[in-house]
Amino acid sequence: MLHDPNRVYVFDTTLRDGEQVPGCQLTTPEKIEIARELETLGVDIIEAGFPVSSPGDFQSVVEISKAVSAPTVCALTRANKGDIDAAIEALKYAKHPRIHTGIGSSDQHIKHKFNSTREDILERAVEAVKYAKKAVEDIEFYAEDAGRADVVFLAQMVEAVIAAGATVVNIPDTNGYCLPDQYGAKIKFLKENVKNIDKAIISVHCHNDLGLATANSIAGLQNGARQIEGTINGIGERAGNTSIEEVVMVLKTHASMGLYTNINAKNFYEMSRMVSSQMRMPVQPNKAIVGANAFAHSSGIHQDGFLKNRENYEIIKPEDVGFPSASIVLTARSGRHALKFHLERLGHKLDKDELYEVYQRFLTLADSKLDINDEDLQGLMAARLVKN
């Protein structure tokens, strides 16, 4: 397989892992709408569902396969023939089909989930890949709970599934357990010790239980992974998945890493709003990249620095991610520079003494009101004229 060594493929699982959040189930038409937006966003792979899990999921994979043409459409399975048969059937209309099959790789899962042995698990993994490969060329294998797996056994498993035909190997930190240096070292070990690793792409799939999903994904990419799996807004089971918008903007901001994606980042804001609305799942205001406060400045010191030079306090331009604009929020912590900025925006030019006087009244108002809007400012100016 020939791949640009600097290109990072983006695998979106909003419609599969993201949809597993309680209360966030989508109808097939809603899934199609999101899938089309994901295609416009430029994601490389859309994981459309887990076909064997329900008739609705099966149908969603069928319909999404028909609705999009550029991205690979992926269906999840466990390592058994029944799951794989359902996925093959559901993907029959996909222009670029992929089967994502796998099994546990940690001793915790092998003993306490499968009640099995390493040898048996290895055999099942190879069998599943070979069986899926008969019907679909593009096979991704996930070594579940790889974050806690013994690295030598993990390397053995990865080597065996690539030999069986896997084109992508997914090394999930299923429980969000790893520290970035541990996860990065795991990917590096595979790159250096799996003799056929050049025949597959390493993928990172990280969960956010300790708030490290984005950091772990970046550590994986720094050590040779070239596919990142995540969701819009970082939604997903428990504390969620890696947030796609965060990883993409880290790579854009740190161009020295030499890695890029084919994502149209200007679509992030609208994409985020659509997923939030369809899944009835609000985005926290302080969420990186797409949160309502991501480009809002309220501290007086920050506002002053921002107004002097945007780059003092912003490393990303709001327009780069389709955000309406940066906002200077007026609160009791705002300084004179911010107040002057807003008054001039409303057409009021004041000299130093006039500004000082209005600022004192502004502080009194700001102490009693959570945030100050244009109407309040016009009121302050009207009161000043009456007084004078």
Side-chain angles (χ1 to χ4, degrees):
M1 281 192 311
L2 286 171
H3 293 285
D4 177 345
N6 299 319
R7 178 174 172 192
V8 173
Y9 293 86
V10 176
F11 176 114
D12 181 276
T13 185
T14 302
L15 298 174
R16 200 277 301 167
D17 215 330
E19 208 229 2
Q20 288 174 202
V21 178
C24 290
Q25 281 67 32
L26 297 168
T27 63
T28 297
E30 285 172 330
K31 282 190 175 185
I32 290 168
E33 198 180 340
I34 289 174
R36 287 192 169 130
E37 278 305 307
L38 289 169
E39 180 171 30
T40 305
L41 181 67
V43 305
D44 301 291
I45 304 100
I46 295 173
E47 189 163 51
F50 183 7
V52 85
S53 66
S54 73
D57 241 34
F58 183 95
Q59 202 49 40
S60 291
V61 175
V62 171
E63 296 305 326
I64 288 167
S65 296
K66 293 176 185 174
V68 300
S69 53
T72 292
V73 176
C74 179
L76 185 76
T77 82
R78 292 163 300 187
N80 67 60
K81 290 183 177 178
D83 280 26
I84 293 166
D85 285 339
I88 292 166
E89 182 63 21
L91 287 167
K92 65 185 176 191
Y93 297 105
K95 287 81 175 170
H96 314 284
R98 174 182 294 183
I99 288 175
H100 190 189
T101 193
I103 201 162
S105 62
S106 67
D107 289 331
Q108 171 77 25
H109 276 215
I110 292 168
K111 287 172 186 162
H112 302 293
K113 181 176 172 182
F114 296 100
N115 190 24
S116 186
T117 63
R118 286 182 174 185
E119 294 68 33
D120 176 57
I121 289 291
L122 213 50
E123 206 175 295
R124 286 164 68 177
V126 167
E127 262 178 42
V129 171
K130 283 183 173 170
Y131 186 72
K133 191 80 173 178
K134 287 179 190 168
V136 174
E137 179 54 36
D138 189 5
I139 307 296
E140 177 169 343
F141 178 84
Y142 63 85
E144 192 175 7
D145 201 25
R148 295 189 294 175
D150 172 72
V151 74
V152 175
F153 175 65
L154 183 63
Q156 199 185 340
M157 181 182 260
V158 167
E159 194 165 306
V161 296
I162 293 173
T167 46
V168 180
V169 284
N170 177 9
I171 312 301
D173 186 20
T174 306
N175 298 294
Y177 170 76
C178 288
L179 294 171
D181 64 325
Q182 293 172 332
Y183 189 69
K186 204 154 247 188
I187 302 298
K188 189 170 194 268
F189 185 88
L190 296 176
K191 281 293 280 186
E192 292 174 353
N193 294 279
V194 174
K195 65 174 188 284
N196 54 2
I197 199 72
D198 59 322
K199 292 187 164 54
I201 288 172
I202 300 179
S203 184
V204 293
H205 178 114
C206 298
H207 281 262
N208 207 34
D209 299 67
L210 293 173
L212 292 169
T214 297
N216 282 337
S217 296
I218 295 297
L221 295 178
Q222 287 173 315
N223 284 281
R226 285 298 176 265
Q227 177 176 287
I228 169 265
E229 308 194 4
T231 59
I232 299 299
N233 299 338
I235 62 171
E237 291 212 45
R238 304 183 316 278
N241 288 49
T242 302
S243 167
I244 284 175
E245 59 274 12
E246 290 175 16
V247 172
V248 169
M249 295 314 291
V250 168
L251 298 186
K252 275 182 174 287
T253 305
H254 290 274
S256 61
M257 287 172 70
L259 301 176
Y260 72 94
T261 69
N262 281 355
I263 293 291
N264 307 312
K266 285 183 166 62
N267 292 21
F268 273 140
Y269 182 69
E270 281 308 321
M271 183 86 241
S272 165
R273 283 163 61 106
M274 174 191 260
V275 168
S276 172
S277 154
Q278 298 273 44
M279 292 192 163
R280 296 161 285 282
M281 199 173 180
V283 176
Q284 67 193 63
N286 62 323
K287 164 80 176 65
I289 316 300
V290 291
N293 293 348
F295 298 96
H297 305 271
S298 72
S299 139
I301 295 167
H302 282 213
Q303 291 175 340
D304 182 60
F306 173 83
L307 290 166
K308 285 172 178 162
N309 184 325
R310 185 191 62 77
E311 288 181 15
N312 283 332
Y313 285 101
E314 275 188 8
I315 55 168
I316 301 165
K317 293 178 186 165
E319 56 270 27
D320 289 348
V321 293
F323 216 91
S325 69
S327 59
I328 299 291
V329 183
L330 287 176
T331 69
R333 292 177 308 285
S334 297
R336 269 173 282 191
H337 198 163
L339 178 63
K340 181 172 181 258
F341 167 80
H342 277 289
L343 289 174
E344 285 183 357
R345 184 176 58 76
L346 296 171
H348 303 288
K349 288 213 182 301
L350 303 177
D351 65 28
K352 201 174 173 184
D353 292 339
E354 289 169 332
L355 180 62
Y356 177 80
E357 179 213 323
V358 174
Y359 183 62
Q360 298 313 308
R361 281 188 289 111
F362 159 77
L363 286 177
T364 306
L365 178 63
D367 273 335
S368 63
K369 198 168 187 290
L370 203 56
D371 57 294
I372 307 292
N373 57 34
D374 288 357
E375 214 173 289
D376 296 321
L377 293 180
Q378 296 288 25
L380 274 178
M381 294 307 293
R384 180 179 172 272
L385 290 172
V386 168
K387 190 180 162 203
N388 293 341

